[in-house]
Amino acid sequence: QVQLVESGGGLVQAGGSLRLSCTGSRIIFSISFMGWFRQAPGNQRDLVAAITSGGSTNYADSVKGRFTISRDNAKNTAYLQMNNLKPEDTAVYYCKLIAGPYTYWGRGAQVTVSS
């Protein structure tokens, strides 16, 4: 069983930056997708950013130009660099990974942006 652990969340003022990390509990092969989702209270869980095995990236319109997703295969880790944070970015951020027929989710990291 693979576990994903997110880290790097916290409280930051508007305009600040945070970097989230998502690390697997063991080396995972054949990863086809790694992504970050977020869920604010009362809202559904939405895609923020994703990166495929080929390095293609996709971003929600609301974060384009501010967030950057990347991955380090050697470290089994995905990152989400978040710059120019806004109060509306406040949410629990979840890491998702797809490898072969398996889908894994992390437990989430709280990001709170104060105005």
Side-chain angles (χ1 to χ4, degrees):
Q1 181 74 12
V2 175
Q3 294 187 0
L4 300 180
V5 179
E6 299 100 336
S7 61
L11 173 64
V12 64
Q13 288 187 332
S17 298
L18 287 172
R19 188 177 81 155
L20 299 179
S21 300
C22 171
T23 302
S25 57
R26 61 172 175 82
I27 297 296
I28 304 168
F29 298 99
S30 303
I31 297 173
S32 60
F33 172 96
M34 295 189 80
W36 290 94
F37 291 71
R38 68 186 180 187
Q39 186 169 19
N43 291 354
Q44 64 183 16
R45 189 175 297 187
D46 293 324
L47 176 68
V48 175
I51 184 166
T52 68
S53 58
S56 297
T57 57
N58 184 39
Y59 297 92
D61 288 343
S62 60
V63 306
K64 284 180 180 177
R66 300 188 298 122
F67 290 12
T68 303
I69 188 171
S70 61
R71 56 190 289 181
D72 185 333
N73 293 331
K75 295 183 178 180
N76 215 33
T77 299
Y79 303 96
L80 184 68
Q81 178 66 43
M82 304 184 292
N83 297 328
N84 191 22
L85 282 160
K86 303 176 180 181
E88 51 264 42
D89 294 318
T90 296
V92 178
Y93 284 70
Y94 297 91
C95 175
K96 178 180 178 180
L97 181 154
I98 299 175
Y102 303 105
T103 298
Y104 305 99
W105 285 94
R107 293 187 176 183
Q110 177 69 47
V111 172
T112 302
V113 185
S114 63
S115 58

